[in-house]
Amino acid sequence: MEGDVTGRRARLLAALTLAASAGLLPAIAGLSPSLAPALVGEARAEPAEPPEALFRKGTEALGRGEYGAAIDTFELLADRGFVHPDASYNRGLAYVTRVRDGADRPGDLGRAAAAFEEALRLRPGDADADRALDLVRAEITRRRARRAKDAVEVRPTLDRVLVGLASERTWAAAALFSSLLLALGMVLRRRPAGPAHVAGSVLAPTALVALLALVPLTYAARHLRLTTRPGVVVVPEVRLVDESGRALPDAEQTLIPEGASVEVGRRSGGLAEVRWGATEGWVSLSSIRLLAP
């Protein structure tokens, strides 16, 4: 069965690509829902309705085209703390199905983008989720252009690019390895003149430079993990405000489009501090969807 599902998803993704190139988003809803092989023990659900039963109910509703029931079920799973890439993927399909049938509500494409991005974060390398995310965001851009809105592409700043090259664990392991090389180099430098002394003279300063670079990267990755969470804008567009909720001066006003990925930091009342590329400010917490850590 799993092979059949994978084959259907591949065929439907190919059809989706052709439809998207023609500006026809409805085909995205033809993607086959994922069938999770094992879901027990990955959620905190009430005993009367275990997560695997809810997942099955949502998947069956999605297969019948009952997007309202599917959305409610997958959102209930998310509210209960259930985290699984197939649940996120199917939630995205449910929102796209509602868009296809012309019953979409403001922010549905943003919620679909959030679901597909969450699935991709939980299962890196998922080609279906990656392509679906690209196509949903392309549709958002097309609709903004139709409303005479500018298509804004924001790139992460250099510090975020560097920190994001590897995980916190990888940076820490590299820093530890560099410290060991530094110690080895210091020992070899104490040897009498010869190949070992030369090797130590080269190894020690090289390892020291690497350590000086890797320790800040490890700290920065840890700081981001502990203080921020990824999020996605789930309203047609959101305007940045200050911490008290007041509008920023005209020169500093920024509109973040639907489906944009943001970095969410502090939360205060109904507001959340976000970073979008190099732009920072506060937005309504209800305008963004926090992704599963």
Side-chain angles (χ1 to χ4, degrees):
M1 177 179 292
E2 186 174 347
D4 293 342
V5 171
T6 302
R8 287 200 302 272
R9 285 175 64 174
R11 290 193 297 271
L12 289 165
L13 271 171
L16 167 60
T17 303
L18 292 175
S21 65
L24 301 175
L25 180 69
I28 194 173
L31 288 168
S32 176
S34 295
L35 304 177
L39 302 175
V40 181
E42 295 194 27
R44 302 182 297 276
E46 297 177 1
E49 209 165 10
E52 61 269 22
L54 279 175
F55 180 88
R56 185 165 52 251
K57 181 192 298 184
T59 302
E60 290 172 353
L62 183 57
R64 294 191 300 268
E66 299 173 0
Y67 50 80
I71 288 173
D72 291 343
T73 303
F74 289 121
E75 288 291 0
L76 177 60
L77 277 172
D79 291 342
R80 290 182 176 181
F82 181 81
V83 177
H84 194 284
D86 288 330
S88 301
Y89 180 87
N90 287 359
R91 189 175 75 242
L93 289 184
Y95 279 112
V96 169
T97 302
R98 187 158 73 181
V99 174
R100 178 200 64 181
D101 287 356
D104 52 308
R105 302 171 186 175
D108 272 3
L109 285 175
R111 293 182 181 91
F116 291 134
E117 183 167 334
E118 184 175 84
L120 197 56
R121 286 175 175 272
L122 293 172
R123 185 165 54 206
D126 188 329
D128 290 357
D130 189 25
R131 190 178 301 177
L133 176 60
D134 287 343
L135 291 168
V136 166
R137 284 184 169 151
E139 176 65 14
I140 291 172
T141 299
R142 189 181 68 83
R143 293 189 175 197
R144 284 180 62 84
R146 193 170 58 192
R147 298 195 304 267
K149 297 281 187 177
D150 292 334
V152 182
E153 182 179 354
V154 173
R155 299 181 182 275
T157 53
L158 181 59
D159 59 334
R160 295 302 196 264
V161 171
L162 290 175
V163 172
L165 289 176
S167 66
E168 174 191 345
R169 182 176 299 179
T170 301
W171 290 127
L176 177 60
F177 183 66
S178 296
S179 66
L180 294 176
L181 291 179
L182 176 60
L184 177 61
M186 296 297 291
V187 170
L188 293 177
R189 285 186 64 180
R190 294 178 179 274
R191 301 291 296 274
H197 178 79
V198 173
S201 298
V202 174
L203 183 60
T206 303
L208 178 61
V209 171
L211 190 61
L212 291 175
L214 291 169
V215 169
L217 287 171
T218 303
Y219 174 79
R222 175 178 173 79
H223 176 73
L224 287 178
R225 178 177 63 82
L226 295 177
T227 61
T228 66
R229 279 184 62 179
V232 174
V233 175
V234 293
V235 294
E237 58 186 17
V238 61
R239 187 181 300 275
L240 290 176
V241 297
D242 63 17
E243 188 172 358
S244 63
R246 292 192 297 268
L248 296 173
D250 292 343
E252 300 178 24
Q253 286 188 6
T254 302
L255 288 174
I256 305 179
E258 181 179 6
S261 296
V262 295
E263 189 179 283
V264 184
R266 293 178 296 155
R267 277 157 272 177
S268 176
L271 297 177
E273 186 180 27
V274 300
R275 175 171 172 145
W276 183 50
T279 305
E280 298 183 31
W282 293 75
V283 299
S284 170
L285 191 54
S286 62
S287 66
I288 55 177
R289 172 114 189 193
L290 296 175
L291 305 185

